[in-house]
Amino acid sequence: MSADNQTPPTATLERDAKLPVTILTGFLGSGKTTLLNYILRENHGKRIAIIENEFGEISIDSELVVSSEEEIYEMVNGCICCVASVRGDLLEVIRKLMGRSDRIDYILVETSGLADPMPVAQAFFVDDEVLDEVTLDAIVTLIDSKHIEQHLDDVRYDGINSQAVDQIVSADRIIVNKVDLVDTETLERIESRIRRFNQRSEIDRSSYAEVNLDAILGVSAFDASQRAASDPAFLEDHFVHSHDPDIETCAVRVAGQLDPERLQEAAAAIAADYGDDLLRWKGVLAVAGNDRRVALQGVHRIFEIHDLDRWEGTHRDSRAVFIGKNLDSEALTERFERCVAPLPQEALAR
């Protein structure tokens, strides 16, 4: 869908003087950053601030956002849904945005792929200053149609929440993404399963997160009174959320440039060896002979390596984050270190 035939979602936004916020959620690898990039490329004429929260110590997502003109705020010191201080950081960023003279038009909050969006939504209703100036427009949940069923089948009942289920239950709009990777029968089964958890949300389908923006932005779909009616404790500051303790992150940072052939081989081997347990892997890499930053994007055994924009400055290194179970941090780091390209002879002679 091109910008030429896209109707800007302006009419609904202008009806409300408050600054609208969309919470963008979805399990690891569902396509949240891809959707952000799609929104930023479209001709909607809005100034958008992006607030990102990552599950890991190295920030990757902000570097995968294609637009450098938008303002991006990162929160990487914990998961926004279960660390109160991070929710406090979120509110502080919003207060700063509200206090600016060059007011922005929209805020997009991209949660970690392991986040429950309800504690994030709740944060907007326990701070009177924010509540007076900001309106929560909708919780939009992306679904990875290739892998969602295995996550739904992995529901545990020992006190650990299922993040994939939490994200579906909380949604005001659901986008079943990556429909090009599955057949129609699978899609219909997925949507039927989604309906067991959430009967009120509209469901759209997409490939590469290309959706009708009028269906997800400026829709005024979040109803606080309805949420409070179904959960009287919604407006109380007590939300507790637990992540699966078996899920871990492994951060890899390698100096020097990577040989492209070795990198491709290493990525294929990682997918083969760790694929079942590797929920998400992503990176921004420096590749020998390529003056652009290179993105690594993977979910389980599916991965792709593609160019981003040009490098700025002279310092180039490679960073990657792996999220999953049974990960060997040292082994993953060694695999990337073995990809480092040898220095040119003239550099060695200096």
Side-chain angles (χ1 to χ4, degrees):
M1 180 169 55
S2 67
D4 294 336
N5 57 19
Q6 170 71 49
T7 302
T10 57
T12 306
L13 298 183
E14 291 173 353
R15 288 202 304 264
D16 197 331
K18 291 186 177 182
L19 183 62
V21 179
T22 292
I23 297 175
L24 179 59
T25 188
F27 200 70
L28 298 162
S30 59
K32 297 185 295 297
T33 301
T34 302
L35 176 57
L36 276 181
N37 284 333
Y38 179 69
I39 292 171
L40 296 178
R41 285 194 302 263
E42 289 297 282
N43 185 27
H44 47 66
K46 296 296 176 184
R47 291 195 62 191
I48 298 176
I50 299 167
I51 303 175
E52 292 187 327
N53 177 228
E54 294 192 52
F55 188 81
E57 61 197 64
I58 291 182
S59 173
I60 297 293
D61 282 353
S62 61
E63 297 198 46
L64 297 175
V65 175
V66 296
S67 174
S68 60
E69 298 178 359
E70 306 300 332
E71 297 192 51
I72 302 175
Y73 299 84
E74 301 170 279
M75 293 178 292
V76 293
N77 58 333
C79 186
I80 196 171
C81 76
C82 55
V83 180
S85 61
V86 182
R87 292 200 296 279
D89 292 342
L90 168 66
L91 295 177
E92 183 60 30
V93 169
I94 290 175
R95 290 189 197 99
K96 290 180 180 178
L97 291 172
M98 292 176 348
R100 289 174 27 165
S101 57
D102 54 338
R103 184 178 172 91
I104 61 171
D105 302 307
Y106 214 100
I107 297 175
L108 291 171
V109 179
E110 179 190 0
T111 71
S112 154
L114 294 174
D116 177 355
M118 287 310 292
V120 186
Q122 178 219 27
F124 290 93
F125 294 91
V126 297
D127 186 294
D128 291 338
E129 180 184 0
V130 170
L131 186 59
D132 287 341
E133 298 287 339
V134 170
T135 180
L136 183 55
D137 189 68
I139 297 174
V140 177
T141 297
L142 269 77
I143 302 293
D144 174 0
S145 57
K146 180 68 176 178
H147 299 102
I148 186 60
E149 290 195 281
Q150 69 189 76
H151 300 312
L152 295 180
D153 293 337
D154 193 32
V155 177
R156 297 170 63 174
Y157 297 98
D158 58 356
I160 298 172
N161 296 338
S162 167
Q163 286 80 30
V165 172
D166 290 339
Q167 293 159 359
I168 292 172
V169 170
S170 302
D172 300 302
R173 295 289 187 270
I174 294 173
I175 302 169
V176 180
N177 192 31
K178 304 185 183 180
V179 298
D180 52 307
L181 301 181
V182 296
D183 56 30
T184 302
E185 180 181 355
T186 300
L187 282 173
E188 292 175 350
R189 184 176 63 248
I190 289 171
E191 290 175 357
S192 177
R193 297 188 68 175
I194 288 172
R195 282 293 176 223
R196 299 176 197 171
F197 298 109
N198 186 329
Q199 298 180 359
R200 73 179 186 282
S201 175
E202 294 182 10
I203 300 177
D204 292 319
R205 297 178 180 181
S206 70
S207 295
Y208 299 98
E210 295 185 359
V211 298
N212 177 8
L213 298 186
D214 283 337
I216 62 172
L217 299 180
V219 293
S220 302
F222 189 91
D223 189 333
S225 60
Q226 182 185 70
R227 303 285 178 138
S230 60
D231 179 10
F234 169 70
L235 297 180
E236 299 176 8
D237 189 11
H238 80 295
F239 271 93
V240 177
H241 185 263
S242 302
H243 293 306
D244 186 338
D246 294 332
I247 295 178
E248 57 187 329
T249 65
C250 169
V252 172
R253 194 165 201 153
V254 177
Q257 302 181 69
L258 308 182
D259 178 86
E261 293 184 4
R262 294 181 191 174
L263 171 62
Q264 189 71 35
E265 293 172 357
I270 289 171
D273 295 343
Y274 291 92
D276 290 340
D277 291 332
L278 197 51
L279 301 175
R280 182 75 167 101
W281 41 313
K282 54 190 173 182
V284 176
L285 314 175
V287 174
N290 191 338
D291 63 356
R292 292 181 173 272
R293 298 182 307 138
V294 174
L296 169 66
Q297 297 267 26
V299 181
H300 290 290
R301 299 181 188 278
I302 299 175
F303 72 92
E304 64 176 6
I305 299 172
H306 60 86
D307 288 354
L308 295 170
D309 54 0
R310 293 183 183 276
W311 280 93
E312 295 183 1
T314 58
H315 177 72
R316 299 179 64 179
D317 63 3
S318 297
R319 289 164 289 157
V321 172
F322 299 84
I323 305 174
K325 303 178 182 181
N326 304 311
L327 303 179
D328 187 331
S329 178
E330 291 186 6
L332 288 169
T333 300
E334 288 175 1
R335 293 191 189 212
F336 273 82
E337 289 176 341
R338 289 198 294 268
C339 295
V340 175
L343 291 173
Q345 289 298 317
E346 58 270 21
L348 294 174
R350 291 176 184 171

